[in-house]
Amino acid sequence: MGVGRVIVAGIVIFTVFTAVSFFFLDKKYSISLAIIDTSVVVFAFLVYLNDKVFSERMSQRIFSISDKKFIDDVIVRQMNMHGITEVVNKGNVIEFYRKGQKAGEVKFRIDEKGNPVKIDGKYIIEIEAPEYILHNIDHETWSLIGKR
C-alpha cells in the first residue's frame, strides 16, 4: 500500500471517528474534532493540488558544462528515472518524450553560425523539464561538484 493511500485511509478513519463522536461525546469535543478534521481535509487537498501543479510545471535551468558527457551522465539518467520513453538528439537540441508527449529538452546556446557557444571551454545549455526533474538534476550536479 502506497504512502498516499495510507494518508487517505488515516483521514477517512479520522473523519468517521469525528462523525461517530457526535453520538458519544460532549458537543464541545465533537465540534472541536470536526474543526480539526475539516482543517486536515482542506490542508491535505491543498498539499495535493500544490504538488500536482508545482511538480509537473515546466521550468528552465541554465548550466555551463565542460563535457557533453554530462548530458548522458546526469540529465538523460534523471529523465529516464522519471519515465522518459524516447530521447531524440537533433544536434544542438535533445528532446525527451514520455509516452509520445514532449517531457523536456536540452538546448545548446548557439552563435550566429549555428555552432554551440563555448565560454572558458564550457558549453552553455538550457534545460527545460518538469520542476521535480530539474530539482533532482540540481542535487546531482551539486553532488558531482562536491566530489571534485
Side-chain angles (χ1 to χ4, degrees):
M1 186 183 260
V3 174
R5 291 178 190 241
V6 171
I7 292 171
V8 169
I11 291 172
V12 167
I13 290 170
F14 186 64
T15 302
V16 169
F17 176 75
T18 300
V20 170
S21 74
F22 278 97
F23 298 109
F24 298 106
L25 294 177
D26 192 33
K27 289 291 182 208
K28 64 182 176 183
Y29 299 119
S30 299
I31 291 172
S32 296
L33 282 174
I35 291 170
I36 293 170
D37 187 44
T38 303
S39 300
V40 168
V41 169
V42 168
F43 181 73
F45 181 67
L46 291 175
V47 167
Y48 166 77
L49 287 179
N50 181 52
D51 184 52
K52 193 73 171 157
V53 171
F54 178 74
S55 291
E56 294 293 328
R57 185 180 71 221
M58 295 294 276
S59 293
Q60 187 179 50
R61 299 279 196 288
I62 298 175
F63 286 91
S64 63
I65 60 173
S66 56
D67 188 7
K68 290 183 178 182
K69 187 178 172 200
F70 173 85
I71 294 171
D72 290 329
D73 290 346
V74 176
I75 299 170
V76 172
R77 186 178 52 200
Q78 286 298 328
M79 295 293 242
N80 282 334
M81 288 173 57
H82 296 287
I84 300 305
T85 56
E86 184 181 1
V87 179
V88 178
N89 191 339
K90 296 181 176 180
N92 291 331
V93 177
I94 301 169
E95 296 178 341
F96 301 95
Y97 292 90
R98 180 181 356 178
K99 299 178 185 173
Q101 293 185 349
K102 189 173 178 182
E105 71 180 5
V106 174
K107 289 182 191 175
F108 285 88
R109 289 238 174 126
I110 55 174
D111 59 15
E112 306 83 38
K113 298 175 186 173
N115 298 323
V117 173
K118 269 189 133 176
I119 300 174
D120 293 333
K122 295 185 176 189
Y123 296 100
I124 308 299
I125 60 171
E126 299 173 9
I127 305 170
E128 187 176 326
E131 185 65 38
Y132 68 95
I133 293 175
L134 292 174
H135 182 75
N136 290 346
I137 291 170
D138 290 342
H139 279 282
E140 190 163 349
T141 302
W142 282 108
S143 174
L144 291 172
I145 290 171
K147 291 179 183 176
R148 292 183 181 177

